[in-house]
Amino acid sequence: MEDKLIIYNTLSRKKELFVPQHAPHVGMYVCGPTVYGDAHLGHARPAITFDILFRYLTHLGYKVRYVRNITDVGHLEHDSDDGEDKIEKKARLEQLEPMEVVQYYTIRYHKAMEALNVLSPSIEPHASGHIIEQIQLVENILKHGYAYESEGSVYFDVTKYNKDHHYGILSGRNLDDVINTTRELDGQQEKHNPADFALWKHAQPEHIMRWPSPWGDGFPGWHCECTAMGKKYLGDTFDIHGGGMDLIFPHHECEIAQAVASQGHPMVRYWMHNNMITINGQKMGKSLGNFITLDEFFSGTNNLLAQPYSPMTIRFFILQAHYRSTVDFSNDALQAAGKGLERLQEGMKNLNRITPSEQTTGVDFSGLREKCYEAMNDDLNTPIVISHLFDAIRMVNTVVDKKATISADDLHELKEVFHLFVCDLLGLKAEAEDNAAREEAFGKAVDMLLEERMKAKMNKDWATSDKIRNRMAELGFEVKDTKDGFTWRLNK
Ligand code: ZN
């Protein structure tokens, strides 16, 4: 195992050598979706970013426990302490049980992630399945004096906490900034300070998603779940916590405060955040009318899309940018990504068509593997990995064009490097359409061969017809002659 992975830690605001606290074990937590609607690009980016990290750490030999939660309770509208629960609102509008909404969109989320070739996390806990742990967390914070009860709700005392610790350490804010930017909302009178956030909310009579607690019936505040479930599955201190940059404040800031207030020390060693996605230069949002779900991308059924874009095109497009840079989706950019991906996959197919020579001449593939590792080790710099692979593809094509030669050893190494980085680490797989097209061409080729056999039979050229039949039987084909011609199938 080569311990050379450098990652950018949002907390220290610098790149740091990644050293797990209990190597070879690595604990990694990523905030998952709130399942009240179809997955969109905003879900694809963190999922793919941390999929790359998960794949790479595993490849380096670490035993990674990757926890990615499902938020199914407590996430209120506008990410605030007031407003309706997002799941409950959807359930009310659709006249469904909240858990029907959760089930439906969780399954759809999984399908979209599978299409994007995002590996499943090791554990995918639901917030609603960890109410007891969240109540315990709130009790611990109360016990340490950093929270107060008010009208059946419990709030985190940000002012008190900030006297002993730094509230705003992750987002680089100070308490005055936070207070000045906090919107005044209904129900704020329950709080001592507008910056205080809910740990437990009292449930109004009409609120469906409710659980008994020491403070009466209610539901947990949104930030509690990740602290409670992170601790349960990864321990008091774990290695990596990730998510989108939009979660830095308030969500992750609050998580840090909850962890320190409940156990006296931070829980997370490295904080990692992916940057945001814009659409034609604009933030994506339902109110802006530029909201495109992943399914719409895959099927092309959205007015903003000039055509469907395959899941691998979306994945490749996201990986063409460094995860800490913004990505702007446009039809032009996606079409260019589609072409780039095709060139990469075409180049890989060409590798299988090359006949090696005595030695490599006219091209130099040396150091490709090292260069790709170097880029991955530099804070998962996937665009640089991709550019190294394209350099190699250009050289492969000169070999295909017979303007250069490659030795058997170099060819073998090249195939291995491509397989490792393209398939295993970047997770780019051949598309289903590609497979379907291949199946079709294969079928037609078999038909053509069997038609030649029929012709041979009609011409009483038994030698040729027997040779084709026998050879095909050896290859596992079962051919039957029928009245109108033939049928065949491949026995595997
Ligand atoms: Zn979270």
Side-chain angles (χ1 to χ4, degrees), residues 29-32 69 71 222-223 225-226 241-242 247 251-252 255:
Y29 190 101
V30 172
C31 293
N69 67 296
T71 296
W222 172 38
H223 314 303
E225 60 178 279
C226 295
H241 192 318
L247 295 178
H251 188 52
H252 291 162
E255 278 192 44

Side-chain angles (χ1 to χ4, degrees), residues 205-466:
E206 69 276 12
H207 200 97
I208 306 168
M209 302 177 84
R210 59 201 297 141
W211 290 266
S213 80
W215 318 286
D217 274 14
F219 56 94
W222 172 38
H223 314 303
C224 286
E225 60 178 279
C226 295
T227 311
M229 298 190 292
K231 184 184 177 101
K232 179 174 173 111
Y233 296 112
L234 300 172
D236 289 354
T237 320
F238 60 86
D239 294 311
I240 300 168
H241 192 318
M245 246 172 65
D246 54 335
L247 295 178
I248 292 177
F249 191 88
H251 188 52
H252 291 162
E253 197 71 75
C254 294
E255 278 192 44
I256 291 178
Q258 291 170 162
V260 173
S262 64
Q263 64 180 19
H265 61 84
M267 200 173 278
V268 176
R269 302 174 65 236
Y270 301 87
W271 282 92
M272 291 178 75
H273 293 93
N274 62 275
N275 210 320
M276 296 290 102
I277 278 171
T278 52
I279 294 198
N280 298 318
Q282 268 195 316
K283 211 182 145 193
M284 188 173 73
K286 283 211 166 103
S287 55
L288 295 166
N290 66 353
F291 190 84
I292 314 174
T293 68
L294 289 172
D295 277 353
E296 287 169 345
F297 271 105
F298 302 160
S299 60
T301 51
N302 185 300
N303 291 338
L304 293 170
L305 301 175
Q307 61 169 90
Y309 297 100
S310 71
M312 283 307 108
T313 302
I314 303 281
R315 186 174 176 110
F316 184 70
F317 183 68
I318 286 176
L319 294 176
Q320 271 187 318
H322 187 259
Y323 74 90
R324 287 193 289 116
S325 315
T326 51
V327 163
D328 186 46
F329 272 80
S330 65
N331 281 296
D332 286 349
L334 276 173
Q335 282 158 359
K339 288 202 182 92
L341 178 62
E342 223 172 89
R343 217 164 63 236
L344 187 64
Q345 291 181 328
E346 212 40 58
M348 283 179 75
K349 281 182 212 158
N350 281 343
L351 280 177
N352 295 321
R353 288 171 37 199
I354 291 175
T355 314
S357 305
E358 274 297 300
Q359 48 184 316
T360 302
T361 56
V363 282
D364 183 7
F365 294 103
S366 60
L368 177 65
R369 184 187 288 261
E370 292 72 19
K371 279 190 269 186
C372 289
Y373 271 123
E374 217 173 280
M376 284 300 282
N377 285 338
D378 182 13
D379 196 24
L380 308 176
N381 204 332
T382 55
I384 299 292
V385 174
I386 291 170
S387 79
H388 289 319
L389 295 171
F390 274 130
D391 287 345
I393 290 287
R394 273 189 286 278
M395 290 190 270
V396 167
N397 292 340
T398 58
V399 176
V400 171
D401 294 342
K402 310 247 185 275
K403 289 177 187 141
T405 61
I406 185 168
S407 71
D409 282 354
D410 280 355
L411 183 60
H412 179 75
E413 164 71 2
L414 208 49
K415 282 182 185 172
E416 274 197 358
V417 170
F418 268 87
H419 196 271
L420 171 62
F421 285 93
V422 177
C423 307
D424 295 349
L425 297 178
L426 298 182
L428 296 164
K429 60 173 185 187
E431 300 277 14
E433 304 100 273
D434 196 25
N435 290 338
R438 222 179 284 193
E439 287 277 299
E440 195 188 331
F442 171 76
K444 283 185 178 158
V446 174
D447 286 347
M448 204 164 75
L449 190 59
L450 289 173
E451 277 155 19
E452 288 307 309
R453 174 173 166 260
M454 295 259 295
K455 272 188 218 156
K457 268 174 76 176
M458 278 185 328
N459 296 335
K460 301 201 178 357
D461 176 2
W462 309 118
T464 303
S465 102
D466 285 354

Side-chain angles (χ1 to χ4, degrees), residues 69-70 78 118 147 162 172 188 213 216 308 322 382 437 454 480 491:
N69 67 296
I70 294 282
H78 322 298
V118 168
N162 194 54
Q188 294 284 28
S213 80
H322 187 259
T382 55
M454 295 259 295
K480 276 195 187 130
N491 291 324

